[in-house]
Amino acid sequence: MYLVVWIAPAVPLILAAMILMGLRRIPAFLAHTLFGVTLLLGVFFTLTSGVLSLFSTTQLLHGLTLTIALGFGFLIWSGKGGKVRPSRIAKLGIAVSVIAALWSLLTVPMILIQTSVIADGSPNCIAKHAENSPIETLHQLRGFSFYTTETGYKSTSEWHFHGLLIVDDPEEERIYNWSPRRWRFDLVERPDTLIKPVRNVCVPS
């Protein structure tokens, strides 16, 4: 499942490259069969992965877009008489996948810009909501990476935050939670009342 999650977004690109290199198109019937199987397995794995954690919206969107990318990749591969003839539905599916991928990638500069504005020169760090889990590479800030697999967050609850920004302001240490839905950092009110600590995730520098 882990490998599928990593490989799925690149499947349409891999297939396109292979087609340019002379890979024969597959019959429409086979393409539709692979498409149907992919959708069934993708939805099954997405629902299974979220049963115990009750899902977060981003987790559900992540699983579905991966399924769409992989499934419609097979439709793009289909053709007749050796020529590629993807349907409008196949093109639409790939377009949805591309838009989701762009959202995920554009989350990185959005986080960096907001961090710079919020911190305003003060020491800061970004981390996942787990002890000593600082973000060390840019790809960890992608929209489909920088989120919780729980149902989000709630005051005085054990539920995880999506991601945290800690700013060591001269007056007080401020903590912010990243909201994938709002695409912004929100100030965490009364962070010391939470059951799961938020001050031990990283050290501002």
Side-chain angles (χ1 to χ4, degrees), residues 32 72 75-76 78 85-96:
H32 283 84
F72 283 95
L75 292 186
I76 288 293
S78 66
R85 295 180 180 177
S87 64
R88 291 183 180 179
I89 295 179
K91 294 177 181 178
L92 179 61
I94 293 300
V96 170

Side-chain angles (χ1 to χ4, degrees), residues 5 9 15 48 72 78 108 110 121 138 144 147 161 180 198 200:
V5 168
L15 290 176
T48 300
F72 283 95
S78 66
V108 177
M110 180 61 69
L138 290 179
F144 286 141
Y147 72 92
F161 289 88
V198 293
N200 62 353

Side-chain angles (χ1 to χ4, degrees), residues 57-121:
T57 303
T58 308
Q59 180 183 7
L60 180 60
L61 180 63
H62 190 188
L64 292 179
T65 52
L66 285 176
T67 301
I68 290 173
L70 185 56
F72 283 95
F74 288 120
L75 292 186
I76 288 293
W77 190 11
S78 66
K80 186 176 181 180
K83 297 182 179 180
V84 61
R85 295 180 180 177
S87 64
R88 291 183 180 179
I89 295 179
K91 294 177 181 178
L92 179 61
I94 293 300
V96 170
S97 301
V98 169
I99 292 173
L102 287 176
W103 171 84
S104 181
L105 292 175
L106 290 175
T107 297
V108 177
M110 180 61 69
I111 289 177
L112 295 177
I113 291 172
Q114 290 192 39
T115 296
S116 178
V117 172
I118 292 173
D120 193 24

Side-chain angles (χ1 to χ4, degrees), residues 1 3 10 23 26 47 51 64 68-69 105 119 139 144 148 202-203:
M1 288 178 63
L3 290 176
L23 178 69
I26 61 176
L47 295 177
V51 167
L64 292 179
I68 290 173
L105 292 175
H139 80 269
F144 286 141
T148 179
C202 63
V203 179

Side-chain angles (χ1 to χ4, degrees), residues 4-188:
V4 169
V5 168
W6 274 96
I7 294 174
V11 167
L13 180 61
I14 292 173
L15 290 176
M18 293 176 70
I19 288 173
L20 290 175
M21 294 173 62
L23 178 69
R24 293 181 60 84
R25 277 66 172 177
I26 61 176
F29 174 76
L30 178 57
H32 283 84
T33 300
L34 292 173
F35 170 73
V37 172
T38 299
L39 285 187
L40 289 175
L41 291 178
V43 172
F44 172 76
F45 284 131
T46 298
L47 295 177
T48 300
S49 66
V51 167
L52 298 180
S53 63
L54 301 180
F55 286 113
S56 68
T57 303
T58 308
Q59 180 183 7
L60 180 60
L61 180 63
H62 190 188
L64 292 179
T65 52
L66 285 176
T67 301
I68 290 173
L70 185 56
F72 283 95
F74 288 120
L75 292 186
I76 288 293
W77 190 11
S78 66
K80 186 176 181 180
K83 297 182 179 180
V84 61
R85 295 180 180 177
S87 64
R88 291 183 180 179
I89 295 179
K91 294 177 181 178
L92 179 61
I94 293 300
V96 170
S97 301
V98 169
I99 292 173
L102 287 176
W103 171 84
S104 181
L105 292 175
L106 290 175
T107 297
V108 177
M110 180 61 69
I111 289 177
L112 295 177
I113 291 172
Q114 290 192 39
T115 296
S116 178
V117 172
I118 292 173
D120 193 24
S122 298
N124 64 86
C125 63
I126 303 174
K128 296 219 171 185
H129 190 190
E131 184 177 358
N132 192 28
S133 299
I135 297 297
E136 299 176 339
T137 59
L138 290 179
H139 80 269
Q140 292 178 288
L141 294 178
R142 291 172 298 131
F144 286 141
S145 178
F146 197 56
Y147 72 92
T148 179
T149 55
E150 304 294 337
T151 52
Y153 66 93
K154 182 179 179 182
S155 298
T156 67
S157 170
E158 293 182 348
W159 295 354
H160 292 186
F161 289 88
H162 290 291
L164 294 166
L165 165 64
I166 298 182
V167 178
D168 193 7
D169 190 81
E171 297 183 359
E172 65 174 340
E173 186 177 73
R174 290 177 283 120
I175 300 176
Y176 297 82
N177 171 59
W178 174 251
S179 172
R181 183 179 301 175
R182 298 186 181 90
W183 227 25
R184 72 184 187 194
F185 280 109
D186 295 319
L187 182 66
V188 178

